[in-house]
Amino acid sequence: MPLVNVIRGERIDTAPLNVRTPIVRLPIWLVLSWWFLKGLALTLVLACRYWYVTGPAALLLWLYVDFGWLGPVGLVAGLICAGCGWHFGHRSSFLRWGWFPVLGRWRRGVYRRRWHPAMATAKLAVSFDGHTVLPVLKRVRCRPGCDELLVRMVTGQIPDDFAAAAERLAHTFGARAVKALPGPRYGEALLLVMRGDPLAATVGPLPVPDVPDFTALPLGIREDGEIYLLCLFGTQVLIVGATGAGKGSVIWSLLRALAAGIRSGLVQVWGLDPKGGMELGIGLDLFTRFACKNAEAMADMLDEALAVVQERTARLMGLTRQHIPTVDDPLYLIVIDELAALTSYADRKTKERIKSSLGLLLTQGRAVGVHVVAAIQDPRKETLPDRNLFPTRIALRLSEESEVEMVFGKGMRDRGALCDRIPMATPGVAFVALDGDPTPMRVRFSFLTDRQIRTMARTYAARPVIDGQWTEGGAA
Ligand SMILES: Nc1ncnc2c1ncn2[C@@H]1O[C@H](COP(=O)(O)OP(=O)(O)OP(=O)(O)O)[C@@H](O)[C@H]1O
Ligand SMILES: [Mg+2]
């Protein structure tokens, strides 16, 4: 009967070989010396491998031997005092170089202990050829509110496999959420294990940049503790959120980031507030042009913006791909508070006019420095012209799961954009897509009270243009 290898199912035609190891008799002293040397080498290797345990232990032992209890106790007390001084003197460097590295070591031990069951139950352990292969936990780094785990994936896995198991992993590690990103090298994934919630508290107004950087406007805080920066160049911005979700705070955060440019004339903001000026009217001084009651006037404003786009396109054709704003040739920002009111509730003729100029503005305006920021409550097709005309989309709290797909497209909710689960108690929290990151980022926009908006509008009032000449300060 032919022999068959049971694992691979291959035929083995040759007969198995019988090999006997020869017996060598050694004197006992040689065996004991060999074991002793092996044990010594292993101890040395382990002592070097776990230097962060053996080093301090050796130091404490030496202090105890030389000075008695006073030695180690004095050292520990001194370190605690120095740590407290560092913490109160310069908290950020203490966290970065002192606390987080120590916490990272500790947490690495904790993650390692739970790693095997976590990978097995999340179905990220792979069974192959009779073996179970686990993703390797390479590094753990602690950051404010989150741990960063660098994982070497099993061959054949992709970061999306980890993203799909994110909720399971979050419960396993006792964290609020887990976010999976591609790692720095192929075959690696970064898991961000979110612990506290830096977005739980309201974010106050951020400092106004002296000169706005149109590629990085600070609008709020990201859930990994970094500042959320919006790139306005080359884009149009859509803000979607149920009533009371905080669409206003996104608009005011953006105007605050641009405020210095508004005062200097580098930016002209045109406001369209079809709700009668209730929202944008508070900061009227920031707007060079404003319309709030008459749908015809709003349609005229959009037509004028389109005329600017067409004039610039003709002028810049073949010269540049991105218009760079100057005081004589500013960046135009068209802010529309309730887009649906313009595109669906106005009378039919005006509606058609608005729809066609808006469509052209959105497609042609972004390269020539005419940008639209539009807020809308309902992302359904009838009210929203075409979401693809808005490369940047900000989704605040939404009422239904299906609306997430209407804003971002397929798959974003599975990758973590749980807009329908944002609590009502946290207005201003939104999901955004970041450049180069396939998973959505949770952010909270800064909140300005009505008083702060009025003060900002007075301080950074737009300079009105009179007879084609910029004048000094004051509202239009
Ligand atoms: N970023 C924020 N941080 C904290 N609270 C906020 C934030 N944004 C809004 N709020 C609170 O939520 C309330 C509603 O916000 P806002 O008016 O901006 O919502 P909205 O989305 O514009 O609603 P609507 O569609 O009704 O106009 C505000 O009065 C404020 O109290
Ligand atoms: Mg509003």
Side-chain angles (χ1 to χ4, degrees), residues 74-340:
L75 179 74
V76 170
L79 282 177
I80 291 174
C81 288
C84 289
W86 191 7
H87 175 263
F88 289 113
H90 200 266
R91 189 163 182 268
S92 57
S93 69
F94 168 75
L95 291 177
R96 173 75 184 81
W97 303 108
W99 178 241
F100 286 146
V102 174
L103 194 63
R105 288 253 165 228
W106 167 258
R107 290 249 171 96
R108 191 170 72 168
V110 176
Y111 283 117
R112 285 234 162 116
R113 262 207 318 280
R114 298 198 199 160
W115 194 247
H116 193 149
M119 292 299 106
T121 49
K123 302 203 169 41
L124 292 165
V126 179
S127 286
F128 171 72
D129 211 3
H131 303 282
T132 300
V133 192
L134 290 181
V136 179
L137 178 60
K138 287 182 74 180
R139 194 187 67 208
V140 176
R141 269 195 193 145
C142 288
R143 298 215 311 245
C146 104
D147 297 339
E148 188 188 283
L149 276 55
L150 181 66
V151 178
R152 194 174 66 231
M153 295 178 288
V154 176
T155 308
Q157 281 183 335
I158 54 169
D160 268 4
D161 295 337
F162 285 78
E167 204 171 348
R168 234 173 262 282
L169 291 175
H171 284 281
T172 308
F173 293 132
R176 185 176 51 76
V178 169
K179 203 163 145 22
L181 308 173
R185 286 200 232 144
Y186 286 119
E188 290 180 345
L190 266 185
L191 297 185
L192 299 183
V193 182
M194 311 288 179
R195 303 211 150 268
D197 187 2
L199 310 185
T202 301
V203 179
L206 299 178
V208 179
D210 290 340
V211 180
D213 175 356
F214 298 109
T215 59
L217 297 163
L219 301 194
I221 304 284
R222 300 188 337 197
E223 71 177 326
D224 59 3
E226 303 284 323
I227 300 279
Y228 169 55
L229 301 168
L230 175 86
C231 175
L232 192 60
F233 268 168
T235 197
Q236 311 287 13
V237 185
L238 178 70
I239 307 159
V240 191
T243 178
K247 297 183 289 295
S249 70
V250 183
I251 294 176
W252 291 119
S253 300
L254 176 59
L255 293 186
R256 187 172 175 82
L258 293 169
I262 296 174
R263 184 170 60 183
S264 68
L266 201 62
V267 181
Q268 269 201 34
V269 188
W270 295 9
L272 286 85
D273 188 352
K275 283 207 257 168
M278 288 288 289
E279 178 82 52
L280 304 181
I282 313 169
L284 199 58
D285 288 351
L286 293 171
F287 296 91
T288 315
R289 314 247 340 238
F290 194 75
C292 62
K293 292 200 176 96
N294 188 339
E296 291 266 321
M298 294 184 205
D300 290 346
M301 248 162 87
L302 291 178
D303 282 346
E304 277 177 55
L306 190 58
V308 174
V309 170
Q310 283 160 351
E311 182 273 322
R312 275 193 187 168
T313 312
R315 181 157 44 93
L316 300 176
M317 193 173 64
L319 295 178
T320 177
R321 278 158 170 259
Q322 175 65 55
H323 167 264
I324 304 294
T326 60
V327 174
D328 295 324
D329 204 16
L331 178 140
Y332 290 89
L333 187 71
I334 319 293
V335 180
I336 305 172
D337 181 43
E338 189 47 73
L339 186 61

